[in-house]
Amino acid sequence: MVKRILKIQDAAFVKRVTTMRLVKDVIFIGIGVIMASIGLKGFLLPNGFFDGGAMGMSLLLEMLTPLDLSLLIILVNLPFIYLGYKQLSFSFAIKSTLAILTLALLVHYIELPVITADKLLIAVFGGFFLGCGIGFAIRGGAVIDGTEVLAIQVSRKSSLTVGDFITVFNVCLFIVTAIFVNLETAMYSMLTYFSASRTVDFLINGVEEYIGVMIISEHSEDIKAKITYDLGRGVTAFKADGGFGEKAKNPDRNVLFCVVTRLEVTGVLTEINKIDPKAFVIQYPIKDTKGGMIKKRPLH
């Protein structure tokens, strides 16, 4: 149905845009996996420190069970990958699976010298490198720590926001760490998590944020059909006039508006670029939404 609606002029151009996006995703994910490996092997693992989220759970289970960390990274993240497949897309699940498998292999096989024995530096820089890894992976359309995917799912079905859920999840994790390991390790692990989360925020400006996307294009009908039917996102069309030059003479035009998550915005921009590379696109963060196709109710 979509193929009949859309009038894509140059198939070779569309293929080139898709290929370039894929190459960028692979580069981002590759950088992310390497950075996360440095954080784990160079800082956290040699000193018995933990992080929050799925990675922190894997590190804790590695200490409490005879299972290897590489295997635990895969097992702990499998349910989150499945949620990502159901909630986002098949390509997201594939990229996340490959990223997590690569990270597990690097953690198992590479050896790095211990960079420092200072506990404060270990917590801060271990969290920094791990946060860089998570952030770059998300920029590439994948995850190496699946807690965010679960948090988005929970936030859509409850009054908890994404940030609330991640906070509650990690508080419980650090309490377990304090009980089964020791309080000092739990406290340093909280510092590691804070460093990692701030780094992720710096790289992607918050995975939990919604992004408002406003699109001004001569091919608004094609773009609207693509976002609606292929990406499954709601689009609102505003009637507008052009304000300058020849475009000012055409009062019958639409400005499109849609709301997506940080994990989805790259896909939307790619589809827009396939149809109209000259489209004027405005992005801005949205604090929260209610109703529509994205249902997230704030805690307050």
Side-chain angles (χ1 to χ4, degrees):
M1 179 179 179
V2 177
K3 291 182 178 178
R4 294 199 301 268
I5 295 174
L6 300 179
K7 303 182 182 69
I8 300 174
Q9 299 175 351
D10 190 346
F13 173 75
V14 172
K15 184 177 180 181
R16 186 164 64 251
V17 171
T18 304
T19 302
M20 290 178 63
R21 181 67 256 174
L22 181 61
V23 170
K24 289 180 181 179
D25 288 348
V26 170
I27 292 173
F28 278 135
I29 294 171
I31 293 173
V33 169
I34 292 171
M35 297 290 278
S37 301
I38 294 173
L40 289 170
K41 298 291 285 189
F43 292 93
L44 302 184
L45 289 179
N47 299 280
F49 279 24
F50 303 113
D51 182 35
M55 188 61 69
M57 187 185 300
S58 301
L59 291 166
L60 180 60
L61 289 174
E62 191 263 346
M63 178 170 286
L64 299 177
T65 67
L67 296 177
D68 186 76
L69 177 62
S70 302
L71 179 60
L72 288 169
I73 289 174
I74 297 171
L75 293 177
V76 169
N77 280 287
L78 276 178
F80 302 130
I81 293 173
Y82 177 74
L83 276 178
Y85 164 68
K86 300 294 288 185
Q87 182 176 305
L88 297 171
S89 67
F90 178 72
S91 63
F92 170 83
I94 290 295
K95 287 189 286 187
S96 297
T97 301
L98 293 175
I100 290 169
L101 287 174
T102 305
L103 176 62
L105 289 173
L106 289 178
V107 168
H108 185 75
Y109 288 108
I110 68 168
E111 294 295 334
L112 294 177
V114 178
I115 298 173
T116 179
D118 186 286
K119 291 184 177 181
L120 181 61
L121 293 178
I122 292 166
V124 172
F125 282 94
F128 169 76
F129 279 102
L130 197 55
C132 282
I134 295 170
F136 275 112
I138 291 175
R139 288 284 300 272
V143 292
I144 55 176
D145 187 305
T147 316
E148 289 86 359
V149 178
L150 176 61
I152 292 172
Q153 178 73 10
V154 171
S155 71
R156 291 180 176 177
K157 296 185 177 181
S158 73
S159 60
L160 288 175
T161 66
V162 172
D164 293 332
F165 176 81
I166 291 175
T167 300
V168 171
F169 182 92
N170 286 305
V171 166
C172 294
L173 181 63
F174 293 134
I175 290 174
V176 173
T177 303
I179 294 172
F180 288 97
V181 186
N182 59 66
L183 182 59
E184 183 183 32
T185 299
M187 293 171 69
Y188 275 113
S189 298
M190 291 175 66
L191 183 58
T192 300
Y193 164 70
F194 180 79
S195 175
S197 63
R198 293 305 93 193
T199 304
V200 172
D201 285 343
F202 177 78
L203 286 174
I204 63 171
N205 197 26
V207 68
E208 70 272 17
E209 284 188 352
Y210 290 130
I211 303 299
V213 182
M214 188 170 289
I215 308 149
I216 302 173
S217 169
E218 297 296 326
H219 305 280
S220 59
E221 289 300 317
D222 293 343
I223 294 172
K224 181 172 71 172
K226 188 71 174 177
I227 294 174
T228 302
Y229 293 105
D230 272 17
L231 302 181
R233 290 287 157 252
V235 180
T236 299
F238 299 96
K239 294 295 183 181
D241 290 348
F244 181 77
E246 292 295 320
K247 294 179 180 179
K249 301 177 182 179
N250 180 18
D252 188 18
R253 60 188 305 184
N254 290 331
V255 173
L256 305 180
F257 174 76
C258 66
V259 178
V260 295
T261 65
R262 278 283 175 186
L263 292 175
E264 296 167 330
V265 68
T266 299
V268 171
L269 295 178
T270 301
E271 297 304 327
I272 294 171
N273 204 28
K274 288 179 184 178
I275 298 171
D276 183 9
K278 295 182 179 180
F280 182 55
V281 182
I282 306 167
Q283 302 177 59
Y284 52 92
I286 295 175
K287 180 64 177 177
D288 208 345
T289 64
K290 181 178 174 63
M293 297 184 69
I294 299 181
K295 298 180 181 178
K296 175 183 173 185
R297 296 183 297 276
L299 182 62
H300 304 292

